[in-house]
Amino acid sequence: MMALRRRAIRALASPRLTNALTALLIALALLLPAPVQADTFEDALAGLYERSLKKRQIAIERIAAIDDPRVAPLLDHLLEGRLYYRKADKQLVVAKKVTRTVYAATTFPGNEDLGEVKKRTLKKISVNNRIRRTIRVSLARGQLAATEPSVRLAAIRSMASSLDEATVSLLRERTTVESDSGVLEELEVTIALADVDTGDPERRVAAIRKLGDSTLIAARNKLQALADLPADKLSGPVRAEVRNALAAYDVRASMYAALETLFFGLSLGSVLALAAVGLAITFGVMGVINMAHGELMMLGAYTTYVLQQLMPNHIGTSIVLAVPAAFLVAATFGIAIERGVIRFLYGRPLETLLATFGISLILQQLVRSVFSPLNRAVATPEWMSGALEINAQLSLTYNRLTIVLFTLFVFGVLMIVMKRTPLGLQVRAVAQNRAMARAVGVRSSRVDMLTFALGSGIAGIAGVALSQLTNVGPNLGQGYIVDSFLVVVFGGVGNLWGTLVSGLTLGVANKVMEPWAGAVLAKVLVLVFIILFIQRRPRGLFPQRGRAAEG
């Protein structure tokens, strides 16, 4: 710089200077400020000690602009209120409260453990809401390039609370490289939220249309705020665009709400079908009204609980193992019930009903004596937690989605057993004509026992599914036994396809009517519908075929 000054002075003083323009340019160079070196991280930290919050905010903005890996941890400590400095030497420390007067401290940067220090030796670097907003935006800018879409999404939402030209420009640049559709929609809507307040009519209308095409609730809130503006602050054409955008948004929201209701209805119907399919087998083949069917489901749910207690660190594995275990436990109890009570009461349906009702009370009291009357919570494994987000208005919870798929799997396996195995052939033979099956050598008593065991085992599997939707308790099965009988009767006694279709149908019908009729009235309406339906088709949707059925 000094050499430049000397050359300029010589050039200006030289009588041989012939190019006046050159002299002028050199003189202007003297007026230019010397280049300012970029802040270093250590130099910028000095601004944190400023008493003025305004100067402290400027210092934090300077720190956030520095490309240094220590910036993000520093801003995070400031945001969480953990950053202090020692009064003696102004050494930055991260402190956590131990007692009212003692803090555990480590230096920053460096993370040197200082042990426990007195509170009076430290001074907290306090921040206000404006500084917190600045910190959040600064952190969000650094997170826009994160590999995880959820991190980028959180960054965009944080930046949306404080939009300025620089932030919007940064978001526009990100739209050209963003690959995740959900994050890209959030980016575009956030930009539209900024553009809708601009003075450019074309950009404003384009932003309004973009908000109308979105599924985010922030988009509708902004559109509604625009629609509520007085006439002098919103022109007629723009107001018409806002109304059209709101109408398009509401139509799309209604469609996704209907899809979500359908999904919840299918999940409820899957539970009903899974609970009723075992009952359909025993009722269809043996003609037994098993009032203890709900308690067999309860035993399956408690089997899941016990396995989780035995394997607390392997929740996912315990759920998988609970399926065969619950089947075996419930099937064993089913065999005991059939051999001990029901086989003496065939052909006496009223006495069978009363006997199985008494067994249900015995099983409830047994569970109360072993596990206590209190409900037990069964943990949901990680792979069943959360939801599959289709968009901001439609998400499918993994536990219900798993139960729908699990029901279809169990139904498929059961159909293979009934159609492709000797046991299935014998069960169908006995169900259609017991006397003829006996005549050709089928041991109907053995088939009855195995059929009851199969139906009971499937009830136990249904209990595993129910444990992921509700707490496990002695009265778990009571809430499903009546619905199970309705499903069986509506679908057609003994028909597995009818049980699946009727279960899904009744589940969807319940969920569709619940929003306007309420849960109780919806069940009443379903019951009335089934009564009227049975008056027209006494054998249900899919009536059983065979001589016994005709008789």
Side-chain angles (χ1 to χ4, degrees):
M1 183 61 71
M2 292 301 297
L4 181 61
R5 290 173 186 269
R6 285 196 294 269
R7 289 178 59 191
I9 293 170
R10 290 194 191 104
L12 289 171
S14 173
R16 292 177 291 181
L17 182 64
T18 58
N19 194 334
L21 181 58
T22 303
L24 179 60
L25 291 175
I26 295 174
L28 288 174
L30 295 174
L31 301 177
L32 293 175
V36 179
Q37 292 186 351
D39 282 328
T40 65
F41 183 72
E42 287 75 11
D43 293 339
L45 290 181
L48 295 177
Y49 308 120
E50 294 284 353
R51 283 174 160 250
S52 169
L53 285 175
K54 187 174 182 180
K55 292 181 179 179
R56 194 175 297 168
Q57 180 176 355
I58 295 173
I60 291 171
E61 290 173 353
R62 290 173 59 195
I63 292 172
I66 298 171
D67 184 13
D68 191 291
R70 296 170 292 182
V71 170
L74 175 73
L75 296 179
D76 187 57
H77 291 318
L78 272 172
L79 192 62
E80 298 297 328
R82 298 190 296 256
L83 197 63
Y84 295 73
Y85 66 84
R86 282 191 305 215
K87 295 176 181 178
D89 56 1
K90 290 194 174 181
Q91 166 66 53
L92 284 177
V93 298
V94 178
K96 295 181 181 179
K97 185 176 181 180
V98 178
T99 65
R100 189 170 60 87
T101 59
V102 176
Y103 282 63
T106 57
T107 61
F108 185 91
N111 295 327
E112 179 187 348
D113 189 8
L114 300 177
E116 294 184 350
V117 298
K118 297 291 185 183
K119 179 183 177 182
R120 65 174 180 269
T121 64
L122 302 177
K123 177 68 175 177
K124 185 175 183 178
I125 301 178
S126 58
V127 294
N128 57 14
N129 288 336
R130 179 176 295 179
I131 295 177
R132 289 189 187 94
R133 188 161 53 249
T134 300
I135 294 172
R136 289 192 184 99
V137 172
S138 299
L139 287 172
R141 285 175 176 169
Q143 294 168 346
L144 274 180
T147 55
E148 287 292 330
S150 59
V151 177
R152 301 198 299 273
L153 199 61
I156 296 167
R157 290 171 180 170
S158 180
M159 296 174 74
S161 62
S162 181
L163 292 174
D164 53 27
E165 290 186 9
T167 303
V168 174
S169 177
L170 184 65
L171 294 176
R172 289 187 198 277
E173 293 176 6
R174 184 66 200 174
T175 58
T176 61
V177 296
E178 182 57 56
S179 58
D180 186 89
S181 59
V183 178
L184 183 60
E185 182 188 7
E186 193 90 25
L187 274 170
E188 292 175 344
V189 169
T190 303
I191 294 170
L193 289 173
D195 288 347
V196 81
D197 292 325
T198 63
D200 186 345
E202 291 185 2
R203 284 177 60 186
R204 194 176 197 187
V205 170
I208 289 171
R209 291 173 179 172
K210 179 62 185 177
L211 295 180
D213 293 336
S214 173
T215 58
L216 301 177
I217 188 62
R220 195 195 189 287
N221 292 341
K222 187 65 176 180
L223 290 172
Q224 189 62 54
L226 289 173
D228 293 339
L229 288 175
D232 58 336
K233 292 188 177 181
L234 196 67
S235 64
V238 175
R239 189 177 296 277
E241 290 287 349
V242 171
R243 285 198 296 266
N244 292 337
L246 271 174
Y249 184 98
D250 290 340
V251 168
R252 194 177 302 105
S254 299
M255 180 187 69
Y256 286 126
L259 289 176
E260 192 170 56
T261 300
L262 177 63
F263 170 70
F264 283 130
L266 289 176
S267 65
L268 174 61
S270 298
V271 173
L272 293 178
L274 195 59
V277 68
L279 191 63
I281 294 172
T282 55
F283 192 23
V285 174
M286 305 166 63
V288 174
I289 303 175
N290 181 17
M291 295 300 293
H293 188 77
E295 278 59 45
L296 295 171
M297 295 164 55
M298 173 196 68
L299 291 177
Y302 270 104
T303 302
T304 309
Y305 168 74
V306 170
L307 280 179
Q308 282 201 356
Q309 299 306 303
L310 296 176
M311 307 171 64
N313 298 323
H314 303 280
I315 300 299
T317 304
S318 68
I319 290 292
V320 175
L321 294 178
V323 174
F327 180 89
L328 292 176
V329 169
T332 302
F333 273 87
I335 291 174
I337 293 170
E338 198 277 336
R339 292 287 89 184
V341 177
I342 292 178
R343 71 188 180 103
F344 301 108
L345 301 175
Y346 285 132
R348 298 148 69 181
L350 181 60
E351 294 180 27
T352 304
L353 186 149
L354 293 175
T356 53
F357 178 72
I359 292 171
S360 72
L361 298 179
I362 293 172
L363 291 177
Q364 288 182 38
Q365 188 56 47
L366 175 65
V367 167
R368 289 190 180 94
S369 301
V370 176
F371 297 100
S372 85
L374 301 177
N375 288 343
R376 304 291 181 176
V378 175
T380 300
E382 185 177 351
W383 49 272
M384 285 180 62
S385 302
L388 174 63
E389 291 192 9
I390 308 301
N391 54 50
Q393 294 177 348
L394 178 62
S395 59
L396 311 179
T397 55
Y398 284 129
N399 61 341
R400 291 183 178 273
L401 186 60
T402 303
I403 288 174
V404 173
L405 298 177
F406 180 67
T407 299
L408 296 177
F409 171 77
V410 171
F411 180 79
V413 171
L414 187 58
M415 289 298 294
I416 292 174
V417 170
M418 297 298 289
K419 300 290 185 180
R420 303 291 182 182
T421 65
L423 174 63
L425 178 62
Q426 293 176 11
V427 167
R428 287 184 287 126
V430 172
Q432 292 182 14
N433 195 317
R434 181 179 291 268
M436 184 62 70
R438 284 179 178 177
V440 296
V442 175
R443 296 169 56 191
S444 61
S445 61
R446 177 177 174 272
V447 171
D448 288 337
M449 180 187 71
L450 294 178
T451 301
F452 202 88
L454 179 62
S456 301
I458 295 174
I461 292 177
V464 178
L466 285 176
S467 70
Q468 298 302 302
L469 298 178
T470 185
N471 289 328
V472 177
N475 298 320
L476 172 68
Q478 294 298 303
Y480 292 91
I481 184 64
V482 175
D483 289 336
S484 298
F485 275 110
L486 289 179
V487 169
V488 171
V489 172
F490 179 53
V493 176
N495 191 295
L496 297 184
W497 279 110
T499 301
L500 179 66
V501 172
S502 64
L504 297 178
T505 302
L506 295 183
V508 171
N510 266 293
K511 287 300 178 182
V512 168
M513 289 188 291
E514 275 182 11
W516 56 270
V520 176
L521 183 57
K523 284 184 176 294
V524 173
L525 292 176
V526 168
L527 178 60
V528 170
F529 166 76
I530 291 176
I531 292 173
L532 295 176
F533 179 82
I534 294 301
Q535 295 295 317
R536 298 293 302 272
R537 292 180 65 106
R539 294 177 182 171
L541 284 172
F542 299 91
Q544 188 182 25
R545 295 176 181 178
R547 295 183 181 179
E550 293 169 1

